[in-house]
Every structure is written in C-alpha cells, then in structure tokens.
Amino acid sequence: MDTTNQQILSKRGQPSRFPAMNRKKTKTITLKIIFTLLVGILAFTMIVPFLWMLSASFKISADVLKLPTDWIPNYLNLDNFKVVWNIGDSAPRDYHFALSFYNSLKVSTINMVFGVLTSSLAGYAFAKIRFRGANVVFLLYLSTMMIPSQVTLIPKFVLFDKLDMMGTHLTLILPGIVTITGTFLMRQFFMQIPNELIEAAHIDGAGEFRTWAQIVLPIAKPSMASLAMIVFLWSWNNYLDALVFLRDWRTYTIPVALNNFIDESITEYNLVMAASVSALFPVFIVFLVGQRFFVKGLTAGAVKG
Amino acid sequence: MKISRQLKTDIVGYTFIAPNLIGFLIFTLFPVAFSVVISFTDWDYTQGFNSMTFNWGNNFVEMWKDEWFVASLINTFYFSFAVVPATVFIALVLAVVIDKYVIGKTPVRLAMFMPYISNIVALSIVWVMMYSPYGPITQLVQSLGVENPPKWLGDFNWAMPAIIVMSIWAGVGYCIMIYTSAIQSLPTEQYEAAEIDGASEVQKFFKITIPMLSPTTFFLVITTFIASFQVFGQIMIMTRGGPGTSTSVLVHYVYTTAFSFYRMGYAAAISWILFIVLFIITIIQWQGQKKWVSYT
C-alpha cells in the first residue's frame, strides 16, 4: 500500500511536504469520482434508447410492450433477425434487407472512392496549380456551400426524370461523387504542404499528375482516410435523396428500406427493432475501427490549431 | 504551333478539376439556377412541362396566406432556437467536465457520439417506441407520480418538445467531439496564471475557458443552426408534421408540396425562403460575433 502511495506522489512530483497541495489533490480526486459517476449515469441514459432497441430485438412480440420493461429478457430469441433477414423458412415474406444492405454498401463505397478522388484532384489544383480562373471557380464553389441541398432537390428530381434515371442508383451516385466540402477540406490540407516539395518534384522532371500521385497523395493519406469515412457516413445515412429518387425495393438503400419496413410492420415492434439493430450495426463497426479518422475528419474544418 | 507555358498550366489545372467541376455544374449550379426559375412559376408536375406558367413572384406573396407554410416557418424557428442553444451549451459543459474530471473519457465520449453516426430513420423509430404509452419515457413519468402522462408525439403541444429532446440527444455528441478537440489545443499559460492568483474552478471556467472556446462556440452555433433548420428525418418518421400543424417544418413542407402534391413552383419558392432565412441569420451571427468571439 505504502509503496504505491509513494509512487503516486512521486509521479505527481511533490510529496507531502506541501499539505495544502495534498488537500487540493484529495479534493480533485473526490471531484473526479463524483463527476465520473454523474457523467457516467448521463452517458448511460444516452445509450438507453439503443439498449431498449437491442433488448426488444431479441424479444417475442408480446414481451416488447410488457410493463414494466424487461431490460434483459431471460431468453435470447434470434427469430426476429431470421425473419428480417429471411433466413430459413421463418419469414412470412421477404423484406429484402440483404439486398438493401448491398445497395447501401454499393452506393456508399462508390461515393467514397470517387468522392475522395475528385476532391483530392480538385483540391490539389486549387491549392498548388496556378491556372487562370482558379480563384473565380473556387469562389463559385464557396458561394454555393451555404445553399441548402433542399433547394436543388426539385431541379435534380426534374433532371433525373427527364434523363430517365429515376429509381436508379445513379441518382445517388452521380451527385454524391462531387463534394464541395470535401474539395474545400482537401484544398486546405494541400495548402499546408510546402511549395518547395512540389517544386523539387517538378525539377526532377515529374509532371503535375505524377507529383500529385506519388508525392502529395502519400502525405495526404490520413486526411483522405478522414474524408473517406465522412463521405461514407453521409452517403450511408442519406435519407431524403433516397426517399425522393428511389422507387422500389430492388433499389432501396437502408434508410428507405427501414422506412418502408415500419410502414408495413408497424405493430411488430420486435421485428422493427431487429431491423433497426441490423441497420446500425455495420456503421458502429466501421466507426469503432476508424474512430480516429472519423473524429479528425469531423473536426478538421472546425478547429484551427 | 507551340503552346505557351501558362496555357499548358491552365489545361493541366482544368483537367484536375474537371471531374469535380462538371459534377458541380450539373448537380449544383444548374439546379440552383433552375430552382430560381421554377420558384417563379406555377407548375403541376403531373401535367408535364406545358403546365409550367410564370406567375412572377406570386408564390412568394401567396405563401404568407398559407396556414401550413406560416406554421412550418414558425415551427422551424421554434425547433432551431430550442435545439441549438441547448445542444451547444450542454456540449460545452460536458466537454469541459469530461476532459477535466472524468475517468475513462473515451468510452463516455463514444457513448454520447453514438447517435450522431446512426441512421436518423432507425433513431426516430426507436424514439417513437420510447415515447409510446408502453415505452420507458412514459413509464418514467408515471413512476414520478404523473397519472395521465401526455401522449407526447400525439399531443399538439407536446409533439415538438418531444422531437426537440430527441434532436438534442442526437446532436450533442458531435458538439462534444468538436469542443473536446478544441479544449485539447488550448494553451495552458492563462490557467497557470489564474491558479497563482487563486482563481476557483468556476471562475476559470467562465473567465478563461468560455472566452477561449468562443471561436468554436461560434462555429458550432452557425453549423448546428444551419443543420437544424433543415431538420427532416425525425419529423418524417415520428410525426409527419402532425398532429395538426404542430410539427410541420419547412423541409417537410417542401417535401410534401413537391412530391405528394407535385406543386413544383410553390415548393421551390419555399425552399428559397429556407435559404433566405438561413442567409439572414448567418449574416446576423457573423456581425454579432465581434461582440463575443475572441480570437487570440
């Protein structure tokens, strides 16, 4: 006991020679315990909706509405997931959840890959290539950043309708691969790369494309990873566009599939919850794996170092 | 013919931005311009292009007599002015407390961040259940001694507050994340000086932390305001604007006007009101920042 105490004190630098300081330390530790408890309770209530959802997804229909709520059901019923995913002969009908997962994955991945690619190309040009009109074009980009996407929703609907693209994934993919915010972020990042580095590459005979691909992109990997995660998240959760542009279950992405699912099974809470758990699970996994890139991407525009 | 060096640079530059620029022109600039045109017309989309007739700003005049539009506008304000200050303030306090006093910061932050990365449809579904007569919220209120708790989403007066609470819950994690990364880059000199002067923790919070975080607060107020003005998902799933006009907001009204009634001209006009209001409020905030935002 004594030795550990000693270690803690010596780690903090000052042993008990300063009683006032020790009192302060005790106070801080007490505060820490109180606040940890308080914030811990708050954090717990924040995830209560998720816990309720998870618990309901394993219940049989009758138990979901039982009062008071059984937070931990005494059985683990996987039938809801089997029904939602149409595994075995359990489903009264096929809800096509696997297909909408595939659709979401397809749209989000394409948006992510091409979104990052076009943003980093354009970002590099705006930051490092001194072509005529660059400032004008960039200003045009910035000036549209404030216009909410709902303003362009109706014209896009008309456009896609006239091009006969309504109901196809192109309606989500084509606008999705151009991200103005992404271009802006990549430009900001490339601005920080010293010009000398790029000039050196040019002197060694590399053209702009080679400089971009072999010198600049490797440095930009963390930023690109951050942007990639954000674009994926936006695309995965895009609800309004999917609701307006997609028309039947063959093309539905997760948000619309879920929306459609509740319209059909509004009374079967256990199934709805199993569907919701299924929809959230993949993003949580992606988030946990790429957490640091996520946070970096989200805070990149917000905080000046 | 020999092309000049500058022209070569121009060609390279435009080649680099081409994929982006083409997409921008087709899916942003053209739609924005087209939307302006549409907003000055009467256009029943089911009747095709021929039914598109110019009414020269009549939409912008008529909408003020439209009970649903006025209610949607007021509700959008109601929603934003409740959600934004609450979210930002709660996040500020929590971010500071977590950073300073909490053991096991990361899991706590992650728990609070979970709603932000989640699908709004799934979240809304869960909250519909939470607010149902059989859900935990009603149970909690009952256990506190209220005999007839309101029907939350089914009650004219309670539906919007219910959605506001849910939206604060959903957005607070993002603000905490942003604040946290700002706090971590704060310089420590002022705190050390204050310590020597014997300042209390509360004094330090109000006199140092809040002013030093003011640029972040400003950023968050502006961005969360813009986002909350465009609220749609939770309204669409949880109430569809009801009961009555109680939770109808601008984007939901644009959506139903355009895609349930196919009144494209009117819907486009309302979407521009959305932009104009956002623009004015952002300008006001930008002007107002001089009074309270300190860049050091």
Side-chain angles (χ1 to χ4, degrees):
Chain A
M1 263 330 256
D2 234 319
T3 42
T4 45
N5 231 344
Q6 206 68 43
Q7 275 166 353
I8 290 170
L9 287 177
S10 57
K11 227 191 215 164
R12 296 256 163 90
Q14 298 296 333
S16 54
R17 270 185 293 148
F18 302 100
M21 234 163 161
N22 267 359
R23 228 177 298 134
K24 206 173 162 203
K25 226 148 252 169
T26 328
K27 205 181 138 202
T28 317
I29 291 170
T30 324
L31 269 179
K32 272 198 175 176
I33 292 168
I34 294 170
F35 275 119
T36 303
L37 279 175
L38 284 178
V39 174
I41 292 167
L42 189 68
F44 183 76
T45 58
M46 291 276 306
I47 57 169
V48 159
F50 292 106
L51 297 176
W52 196 78
M53 171 170 71
L54 194 65
S55 129
S57 71
F58 290 119
K59 287 178 185 170
I60 59 165
S61 182
D63 283 352
V64 176
L65 301 180
K66 211 172 81 183
L67 293 175
T69 307
D70 278 334
W71 287 91
I72 304 169
N74 46 18
Y75 54 86
L76 207 62
N77 172 24
L78 291 171
D79 283 353
N80 301 328
F81 289 94
K82 284 189 193 154
V83 171
V84 166
W85 285 89
N86 195 36
I87 297 167
D89 307 322
S90 52
R93 51 159 301 191
D94 192 346
Y95 292 108
H96 309 292
F97 250 72
L99 183 63
S100 45
F101 260 85
Y102 168 76
N103 288 337
S104 266
L105 199 64
K106 175 183 135 193
V107 170
S108 305
T109 310
I110 296 175
N111 278 348
M112 177 179 78
V113 171
F114 285 95
V116 172
L117 195 70
T118 60
S119 300
S120 63
L121 272 172
Y124 176 74
F126 284 128
K128 295 294 178 196
I129 303 176
R130 319 195 71 157
F131 61 99
R132 281 174 288 187
N135 289 335
V136 179
V137 178
F138 193 64
L139 208 66
L140 202 61
Y141 271 46
L142 289 185
S143 62
T144 57
M145 262 171 102
M146 258 213 67
I147 297 176
S149 63
Q150 290 82 13
V151 166
T152 58
L153 188 66
I154 295 163
K156 274 195 285 191
F157 173 84
V158 176
L159 184 72
F160 289 135
D161 198 26
K162 292 299 149 199
L163 293 175
D164 229 6
M165 279 190 213
M166 280 297 291
T168 68
H169 287 146
L170 284 175
T171 57
L172 300 179
I173 290 170
L174 290 178
I177 59 180
V178 178
T179 107
I180 300 176
T181 320
T183 309
F184 184 70
L185 283 179
M186 291 315 287
R187 176 189 175 268
Q188 295 306 91
F189 179 77
F190 289 137
M191 294 286 273
Q192 295 167 9
I193 295 176
N195 282 331
E196 289 79 12
L197 191 69
I198 286 151
E199 279 156 20
H202 288 171
I203 289 164
D204 289 345
E208 291 289 5
F209 189 78
R210 258 190 85 175
T211 313
W212 171 78
Q214 294 188 343
I215 310 286
V216 177
L217 280 199
I219 308 175
K221 261 187 209 156
S223 301
M224 288 168 66
S226 304
L227 181 61
M229 301 223 76
I230 307 280
V231 174
F232 189 87
L233 184 72
W234 283 341
S235 184
W236 185 272
N237 288 337
N238 185 348
Y239 173 49
L240 182 56
D241 288 342
L243 189 66
V244 172
F245 298 144
L246 301 181
R247 285 186 164 158
D248 68 290
W249 59 266
R250 286 179 194 81
T251 51
Y252 278 169
T253 52
I254 304 260
V256 230
L258 259 183
N259 182 24
N260 192 48
F261 187 85
I262 40 165
D263 284 345
E264 285 174 14
S265 11
I266 187 66
T267 48
E268 295 175 88
Y269 296 125
N270 52 334
L271 292 185
V272 174
M273 289 301 117
S276 302
V277 172
S278 310
L280 293 184
F281 200 66
V283 211
F284 284 155
I285 300 296
V286 173
F287 174 69
L288 285 179
V289 173
Q291 206 203 104
R292 123 189 121 88
F293 294 115
F294 247 120
V295 174
K296 198 170 161 277
L298 284 171
T299 53
V303 188
K304 284 257 147 42
Chain B
M1 201 182 95
K2 208 167 167 267
I3 52 171
S4 76
R5 221 187 139 91
Q6 180 61 49
L7 189 62
K8 225 169 146 185
T9 313
D10 292 347
I11 291 169
V12 174
Y14 281 99
T15 314
F16 267 69
I17 66 167
N20 208 291
L21 186 62
I22 292 167
F24 172 78
L25 294 176
I26 299 175
F27 297 112
T28 304
L29 204 62
F30 165 72
V32 166
F34 191 29
S35 179
V36 177
V37 175
I38 297 174
S39 73
F40 286 100
T41 66
D42 269 327
W43 187 11
D44 178 354
Y45 197 71
T46 53
Q47 306 295 314
F49 261 103
N50 295 331
S51 77
M52 193 172 172
T53 49
F54 280 89
N55 64 17
W56 306 110
N58 197 36
N59 290 333
F60 292 93
V61 178
E62 287 300 310
M63 59 174 65
W64 302 100
K65 296 173 197 153
D66 174 358
E67 175 200 356
W68 280 88
F69 165 75
V70 174
S72 303
L73 185 66
I74 293 171
N75 287 336
T76 309
F77 272 99
Y78 174 14
F79 178 84
S80 294
F81 278 96
V83 168
V84 174
T87 310
V88 173
F89 179 74
I90 294 170
L92 172 63
V93 174
L94 279 177
V96 172
V97 168
I98 293 172
D99 187 70
K100 230 170 145 43
Y101 295 112
V102 169
I103 305 154
K105 302 173 182 10
T106 313
V108 169
R109 284 193 199 117
L110 282 185
M112 294 180 171
F113 197 60
M114 266 168 75
Y116 183 76
I117 53 165
S118 305
N119 196 313
I120 192 70
V121 178
L123 296 185
S124 305
I125 295 170
V126 181
W127 277 81
V128 169
M129 309 279 169
M130 300 269 297
Y131 281 128
S132 83
Y134 309 100
I137 291 175
T138 309
Q139 279 180 53
L140 180 76
V141 173
Q142 269 169 338
S143 72
L144 292 174
V146 182
E147 283 194 10
N148 288 312
K151 280 202 203 97
W152 309 121
L153 298 171
D155 185 307
F156 190 90
N157 293 315
W158 282 99
M160 190 56 113
I163 291 179
I164 286 169
V165 168
M166 180 269 183
S167 305
I168 295 171
W169 170 82
V172 79
Y174 167 73
C175 297
I176 291 177
M177 278 293 177
I178 305 283
Y179 269 130
T180 301
S181 73
I183 289 170
Q184 284 165 353
S185 62
L186 287 184
T188 54
E189 296 90 11
Q190 295 191 33
Y191 288 102
E192 282 155 15
E195 200 118 330
I196 293 166
D197 292 341
S200 72
E201 288 299 322
V202 179
Q203 278 173 326
K204 279 192 265 181
F205 176 73
F206 283 105
K207 300 272 157 120
I208 304 175
T209 309
I210 288 190
M212 287 217 288
L213 288 177
S214 60
T216 309
T217 307
F218 178 60
F219 168 85
L220 282 177
V221 168
I222 289 215
T223 50
T224 53
F225 198 91
I226 292 174
S228 72
F229 231 71
Q230 301 175 31
V231 58
F232 176 74
Q234 48 272 61
I235 303 284
M236 181 69 190
I237 303 287
M238 292 167 79
T239 61
R240 300 204 178 217
T245 55
S246 63
T247 59
S248 180
V249 290
L250 285 178
V251 176
H252 186 260
Y253 193 49
V254 169
Y255 172 79
T256 49
T257 312
F259 304 109
S260 299
F261 302 113
Y262 291 98
R263 295 179 61 196
M264 294 304 182
Y266 193 58
I270 294 166
S271 74
W272 278 106
I273 293 292
L274 179 77
F275 167 73
I276 292 166
V277 174
L278 269 181
F279 189 73
I280 292 172
I281 288 175
T282 307
I283 296 282
I284 293 173
Q285 287 174 338
W286 208 269
Q287 293 299 321
Q289 68 160 320
K290 289 166 198 153
K291 294 207 174 70
W292 63 276
V293 179
S294 54
Y295 298 94
T296 42

